[in-house]
Amino acid sequence: MDPYVLVGGGLTTARTAEALRTGGYDGDLVVVTAEPHHPYERPPLSKDYLRGESERDVVFPLDEAWYTEHDVTIQVNETVVGLDAAGHTLTLSDGGTLAFAKALLAPGSTPRALGLPGADLAGVHYLRTIDDSDRISSTLLEASLEGVGRLVVIGDGWIGLEVAASARSLGLDVTVVGRGAHPLGRVLGPEMSDFYAGVHAEHEVHLLRNASVTRIQGADGRVTGVDLSDGRHVGADVVVIGVGATPNVGLAEVAGLDLRPAAQGGGVVVDGTLATSHPDVFAGGDVASIPSPHYGRPLRVEHWATAQRTGAHAGRAMLGAPDQYDKLPYFYSDQYDVGMEYTGWVDVEAGYDDVVVSGDTGKREFVAFWRVGGQVVAGMAVNVWDQMERVEELIRSGKKVGREELEGFIG
């Protein structure tokens, strides 16, 4: 029989391979990744690994020996450029082809590029891969040791703020340029985004709001700073751009698989088993637009837990399991001494009733709840652990929960 082929080099692929072998699949199994590494996960790349506090093996969920021991073939530095779903054939960048019985598409996302003058200067970086993290880490450490150490982060989402926190921990002077009125505002809304703004302000990060970069300046081929649309100039020895990512749906598109419109979150349309519009091709991780039974709409979530969970789910489904994916979105972030877990989903742009807090934001120990129509739709725990199951129970209950009950959630 032709092999099962997993396309991608991230956590989704690792967990799919693991689930296939654990589930009893003993046929040929091939992983194809465009990177020179076996599959790895990305959260450490903006945190401990970026700061040089962890060795490289921290990013690998399965070590290289696991793939050998379980007869998994890994083809590195190989890009899949074509997919004939009906013909069960993949076309590789070297011109070769690879037949498959079933395939998983987990190619991840690509950082959204800023088409700015000067974006190609030395010292300007995007963060997505291990190699990106290595380059940024080396540059930050060098700047810190030389006593220069000025970093500008363009973008105030999770990646941008995690990089900012790591750089401040290394002693650099850090400026974050955000286009909106609130950092993380599109995800958390103003109440909780202002909490994070306060955390970074306490660590002397310069947060520029409602600002945009028009040009990256340089000298002798190396970055020296950024120009803003209001005429200001911010000096920089390092620039990291983190303005979002685009799901890599090109392979699915050329194969004629169903795609979700960008206005609905984009991605590859899958059913509850993570099968695409072709029953032998599955999708997981960043690219998968998955129907959510609880929220009654498809969701595409670019976070670690989605990669972890969809990988395992896809592996079981490829073996015939009919289970429907019904996980609530989950993610976490560590910045300075602030650890956070979040579960659920709220459309910030569409609006919500309010945010109710249990605990003390001043002491940075609390749980925040987002309510829509009186129901809890999402919750975030900050430096308060082992609460996510209780938060999820509230969300799944669908009941209206009063402010007083929520305020007493953690006593």
Side-chain angles (χ1 to χ4, degrees):
M1 187 176 72
D2 289 331
Y4 282 16
V5 179
L6 315 180
V7 180
L11 178 60
T12 307
T13 299
R15 293 307 181 212
T16 303
E18 186 177 46
L20 285 169
R21 288 305 191 219
T22 302
Y25 175 70
D26 59 3
D28 290 341
L29 181 56
V30 179
V31 173
V32 183
T33 171
E35 295 189 55
H37 318 284
H38 62 283
Y40 64 93
E41 57 187 73
R42 302 181 192 278
L45 303 185
S46 59
K47 305 181 185 73
D48 50 328
Y49 184 73
L50 182 70
R51 296 190 297 269
E53 298 170 0
S54 299
E55 298 297 326
R56 177 169 279 210
D57 59 7
V58 73
V59 306
F60 296 106
L62 301 171
D63 61 31
E64 201 161 3
W66 183 91
Y67 296 94
T68 301
E69 293 165 359
H70 291 83
D71 295 321
V72 179
T73 300
I74 301 181
Q75 297 183 202
V76 298
N77 294 314
E78 190 72 81
T79 304
V80 179
V81 296
L83 166 61
D84 178 355
H88 288 73
T89 305
L90 298 167
T91 302
L92 308 179
S93 53
D94 64 4
T97 59
L98 182 59
F100 65 87
K102 293 184 180 181
L104 170 80
L105 303 183
S109 300
T110 297
R112 191 170 293 122
L114 275 186
L116 293 175
D120 58 348
L121 290 166
V124 179
H125 303 274
Y126 293 88
L127 176 56
R128 180 63 185 174
T129 68
I130 294 178
D131 298 325
D132 292 336
S133 187
D134 286 341
R135 283 188 290 268
I136 296 171
S137 179
S138 176
T139 306
L140 293 180
L141 289 170
E142 181 181 352
S144 177
L145 291 173
E146 290 179 354
V148 184
R150 299 170 302 169
L151 167 69
V152 170
V153 178
I154 303 174
D156 57 3
W158 292 114
I159 292 294
L161 293 189
E162 287 175 357
V163 170
S166 290
R168 278 301 295 145
S169 299
L170 294 172
L172 278 78
D173 182 80
V174 178
T175 299
V176 176
V177 181
R179 293 183 65 90
H182 306 277
L184 300 171
R186 294 180 62 185
V187 181
L188 300 181
E191 300 89 350
M192 287 299 106
S193 62
D194 280 350
F195 165 77
Y196 272 99
V199 169
H200 281 273
E202 287 181 21
H203 286 83
E204 300 181 333
V205 171
H206 313 291
L207 292 171
L208 307 184
R209 309 188 192 203
N210 298 311
S212 60
V213 176
T214 57
R215 176 181 292 272
I216 301 175
Q217 295 283 7
D220 300 322
R222 183 163 191 86
V223 65
T224 58
V226 301
D227 294 338
L228 305 182
S229 57
D230 62 6
R232 284 180 291 175
H233 176 80
V234 182
D237 307 291
V238 188
V239 171
V240 175
I241 300 171
V243 292
T246 302
N248 295 326
V249 299
L251 192 60
E253 185 174 18
V254 299
L257 301 178
D258 291 347
L259 302 180
R260 191 78 62 192
Q264 298 176 22
V268 181
V269 174
V270 298
D271 64 17
T273 69
L274 304 185
T276 68
S277 51
H278 191 285
D280 290 334
V281 179
F282 296 75
D286 289 2
V287 303
S289 177
I290 310 170
S292 169
H294 180 78
Y295 293 103
R297 56 156 292 166
L299 297 178
R300 189 182 66 81
V301 181
E302 297 175 358
H303 285 291
W304 172 88
T306 304
Q308 174 100 335
R309 293 166 169 177
T310 59
H313 191 88
R316 294 189 294 269
M318 292 170 78
L319 295 177
D323 305 10
Q324 302 294 294
Y325 188 87
D326 188 24
K327 300 291 187 181
L328 297 185
Y330 169 91
F331 62 91
Y332 68 92
S333 180
D334 297 311
Q335 301 173 39
Y336 311 110
D337 59 348
V338 177
M340 179 276 281
E341 294 181 279
Y342 177 109
T343 191
W345 178 81
V346 59
D347 186 340
V348 171
E349 294 184 358
Y352 48 88
D353 297 348
D354 52 15
V355 177
V356 182
V357 174
S358 177
D360 191 331
T361 57
K363 293 181 180 179
R364 298 179 183 170
E365 295 181 354
F366 63 91
V367 179
F369 301 92
W370 283 258
R371 294 193 302 176
V372 174
Q375 299 176 357
V376 175
V377 296
M380 179 177 79
V382 172
N383 288 343
V384 178
W385 308 108
D386 302 321
Q387 300 298 322
M388 286 297 97
E389 286 189 13
R390 293 179 61 208
V391 173
E392 182 168 337
E393 286 175 6
L394 274 180
I395 295 171
R396 288 190 180 277
S397 74
K399 68 178 183 179
K400 293 187 176 183
V401 187
R403 174 176 287 272
E404 186 174 334
E405 180 180 346
L406 292 177
E407 287 175 341
F409 185 81
I410 58 173

